[in-house]
Amino acid sequence: MKSGNIPERENIKLEHIDSFPPPFKQSKYEKKIVFSPYQKYTLDSNQGYIPLDFECDQVIIDQKKLRTEGTSYFNDILNIVDSHETVLWVDPRFVSSVDLALIVSNWKNNPAIRNANLAIVFPETNTIQYTNSDITFWEVNTSTLNYSPILSNPIWYPSLTRETEQLNEYLDSLNPYDTYPLIDFPDFATQMGESTLTDHVGFLERAGARTRNFIYFDIFHPERAFNQFYNILKSLPKMNSPVFQAVITPGGNFLSYLISLLAGVLSNSSFLLSKNEIPIKTYLEVQGILILRKIT
Amino acid sequence: MINKENIKPYTHESLNRQKTLLKNELENLGINISQEEAARISFLSRRKYERYDLFRPGESFDNRLITWLERNFEKSDRQTALEIIKCLKFISEYEVKELAIQTFENAKKIILSEMTGISNYNCYSFLETRNIKFNEELNNSIFVACVDDVEYDFFRRYAMGQNINIFQKENFVEYYKIYKDSLNELPEHTRIFLIDQLSGSGTTALRYMQKEREWRGKIPTFFKIWREVINNDKIYYCPYILSQHSKNNIEKRRKQYIDEFPSNDFDIYPTCIFPISPCLSNKIGSDIDDTKPVAKLCNKYYDYFEPDKHIEEGGSAVYGFGRAGLTLILQSNCPNNTIPVIWHDYNDWFPLFPRISHHQEIKG
């Protein structure tokens, strides 16, 4: 009998490359995904989005069709030659969290893709553009978007970089079984007066979040941050129907946002945030790459 | 008189009561404090400060704070003394463990950044050759503790658990002052990581003794003891916490030390760098501003303090040992780089966070 507390043997690995452009040659099978309309619009109108600067086939993905048609659209448009090791490149600048989640979920669940790695570039930024409207629950399940996930005994993982009023609103709508706040650690470690916590005194006390529940995000070491959070989410007991359901409200600097999003999608967790939230709306130089690999 | 409100502990009402009591007590001492500020202090008190290892069971931080303010400071100085509390950073046991993990992850990052000869044929071969080579290099690394309070057992278990079949027990040395026989039992190595907890002024790590005309500290002592087994190893000094002041000192002294001993080269890779406390620092954080109210307070009450010969090695300790200017507390002990008004107990001074010194004179 499988115990819900022992994570399954990991079959998805995240590798981090601390440089850009990629320190390896591109094969002819690699593809760069460009999202329409956001990225295509800014690309066409020369409004600041500069595509990834290396030679590779480009594929335009329509955001609307991705949300409504899911796997079949993804397969048709990408037309992956799966007999060869290849890389799908994703640039999250100007892309909504929902669309990014759909790409990751399609990559994970698509049986036709075994040999394609998913490479997500990330820019250097400490500023996330939060959207405080259209807050909703959503999950990406078997590559389709579901706005009404069943939330039995939700366990909530909110980033403490969000405004305390917002967090209190989310708390009231979710009524979680337990709360595990996410804290970007390197900043917090040297923070005199500990404002990351004390700015949220009321919220943390209303949520009953115990001190031992704090999850420190190690953004200087993305592989470790991902492994830690991914295994935490996978360890929630799951039987025929989930006893507990993870709900994530990501935040922090872009890397912690991205890692919590990836860990959440790959562990079939739900999200509580705006469906139209685009974390990065400006052109910023890419500083590194996260590569997701399926390990068999 | 019995309190008839019947408020149960650890409820919203009891937390409010605690906060209100603290505010009232502080106001009785002549301190103006907002409800919000009282809530912050009360929150950190319950969640962090009361876990301090050297508090007795049942001691509350709020009570210690009131006593500290009332007994030590004149009424006109208490508002300024409270500014110190607003700038405290308390590193809990959870946070020390997180620092231990991040120190190990930093060591991995260092190795990755120094590796060469990785295939760039395509993504797959790049990642595969990188990972294979990385495991080999990690296997040839030794991790040595420079002090006994770095949660070293936790560090070792984390490293071995994350990297199964790479490490043996001998890759981890629990203390750098080791017998020669034990040095001969070390596995092959090309890198040595010196793990330290805190370097607040750089004095304990590396200093030049003018009178004796010799270099002292953990780093010179390490090289003296380990000389025979360091061939072409790269040496890295990795404190969990390095103060900005210490960073400046060690970098300056390192150049002079390596000029004198070229074979004793080492690099410094702290896990986090602590600035001078905002209640003491100048605008750019480069030094202490003696005109700041808290700085004047430290000077005013310094006569109560009795520096011993170890403290004196760092010069005046009015802003903490070695003029570090910290308001940092670790759950296990308060470092002497933190301003002494917080921790000393000489001449009936009541310590907010009492400290146990490593250096104690045995009195006959």
Side-chain angles (χ1 to χ4, degrees), chain A residues 13 15 223 293, chain B residues 104 107-108 111-112 115 118 126-143 159-160 162-168 171 188-191:
Chain A
K13 193 174 180 194
E15 308 252 19
E223 287 177 24
R293 306 173 71 192
Chain B
F104 177 73
K108 284 167 66 176
I111 295 171
L112 273 172
M115 279 176 8
I118 300 168
F126 172 82
L127 291 174
E128 289 296 304
T129 55
R130 184 183 79 160
N131 291 343
I132 290 168
K133 200 169 165 50
F134 170 70
N135 287 343
E136 286 167 5
E137 305 255 349
L138 191 60
N139 177 250
N140 288 341
S141 303
I142 306 281
F143 299 88
M160 293 182 87
Q162 294 297 310
N163 302 279
I164 294 172
N165 299 329
I166 290 180
F167 290 126
Q168 39 184 318
N171 284 95
E188 270 187 43
H189 49 89
T190 54
R191 289 184 177 86

Side-chain angles (χ1 to χ4, degrees), chain B residues 2 4 26 31 33 44 57 59 85 115 126 220 244 263 265 267 276 324 328 342:
Chain B
I2 296 168
K4 290 188 179 168
L26 290 172
I31 296 171
I33 182 166
L44 288 175
E59 274 196 289
I85 306 307
M115 279 176 8
F126 172 82
Q244 183 62 52
S263 60
D265 195 1
D267 287 314
I276 297 171
L328 168 69
I342 288 179

Side-chain angles (χ1 to χ4, degrees), chain A residues 15-16 23 25 185 188-194 198-199 205 209 211-212 218 220-221 224 293, chain B residues 40 46-48 86 88-90 94 98 101-102 105-106 109 120 128 130-131 158 273-274 278:
Chain A
E15 308 252 19
H16 168 233
K25 296 175 194 150
F185 188 70
F188 178 66
T190 57
Q191 195 182 65
M192 307 294 174
E194 313 205 38
T198 58
D199 284 351
E205 289 184 351
T211 310
R212 70 182 297 272
D218 181 2
F220 288 161
H221 309 104
R224 182 238 160 178
R293 306 173 71 192
Chain B
R40 285 172 182 250
R46 273 191 323 277
R47 298 285 190 132
K48 296 190 117 189
K86 293 178 190 175
L88 288 180
K89 172 62 196 175
F90 186 97
Y94 298 128
E98 182 64 27
I101 292 174
Q102 291 194 20
E105 295 289 331
N106 270 352
K109 207 170 173 178
N120 68 346
E128 289 296 304
R130 184 183 79 160
N131 291 343
Y158 174 79
I273 298 178
F274 250 82

Side-chain angles (χ1 to χ4, degrees), chain B residues 18 59-60 106 127 172 217 224 244 338 358-359:
Chain B
Q18 205 170 349
E59 274 196 289
S60 81
N106 270 352
L127 291 174
F172 299 90
K224 269 188 208 147
Q244 183 62 52
T338 290
H358 282 120
H359 309 285

